[in-house]
């Protein structure tokens, strides 16, 4: 009986602390009105409770199709996001405007500031799964020892 109770308590604590996905959003848009990008944003609640966001984007005209991992800070109330490219190659400051994201991409030295405009799409489950894989790969490549 003690083992069963212990296993139940362990399962319960894991269930309570599990992250719950709030949103998985796909966007297409541009930087500077001419650089086409695909953008994936994932918002989830941790067991703390705390809302966290993660994301990746890629240049759609780039044949290699490499996704850029974004370190994310945001204000849920203000719907403002700060996305720092993982290797500090740029920053995006975006604000939700209805379902779209608008803002700036800023170079690390601050000398370039380009307009970012992203339109939210309705992705299929297969597209979400593919972007989840890309987010996971980008996290692995950036954080693997």
């Amino acid at each position: 009986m003690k083992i069963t109770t212990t296993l139940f308590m362990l399962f319960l604590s894991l269930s309570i602390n599990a992250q719950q996905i709030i949103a998985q959003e796909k966007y297409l848009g541009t930087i500077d009105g001419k650089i086409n990008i695909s953008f994936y944003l994932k918002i989830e609640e941790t067991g703390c409770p705390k809302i966290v966001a993660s994301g990746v984007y890629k240049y759609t005209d780039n044949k290699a199709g490499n996704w850029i991992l974004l370190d994310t800070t945001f204000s849920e109330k203000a719907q403002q996001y700060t996305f720092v490219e993982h290797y500090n190659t740029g920053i995006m400051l975006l604000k939700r405007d209805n379902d779209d994201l608008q803002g700036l991409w800023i170079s690390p030295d601050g000398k370039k500031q380009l307009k970012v405009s992203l339109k939210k799409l309705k992705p299929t489950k297969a597209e979400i799964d593919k972007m989840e894989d890309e987010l996971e790969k980008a996290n692995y490549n950036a954080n693997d020892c």
Side-chain angles (χ1 to χ4, degrees), residues 14-59:
L14 289 173
S15 297
I16 291 171
N17 291 327
Q19 292 184 339
Q20 178 181 4
I21 296 172
I22 296 171
Q24 293 173 291
E25 302 171 342
K26 180 180 180 179
Y27 296 85
L28 288 180
T30 60
I31 296 175
D32 199 27
K34 48 192 156 184
I35 303 168
N36 297 315
I37 65 170
S38 181
F39 189 96
Y40 175 60
L41 176 63
K42 179 179 180 180
I43 302 171
E44 52 195 331
E45 183 176 351
T46 66
C48 293
K50 180 181 176 184
I51 305 293
V52 295
S54 54
V56 288
Y57 82 98
K58 70 175 180 174
Y59 300 102

Side-chain angles (χ1 to χ4, degrees), residues 127-141:
E127 288 174 309
I128 290 290
D129 291 345
K130 185 173 180 0
M131 289 182 295
E132 271 295 308
D133 288 344
E134 295 297 341
L135 177 60
E136 188 176 322
K137 274 194 266 183
N139 268 310
Y140 177 82
N141 290 336

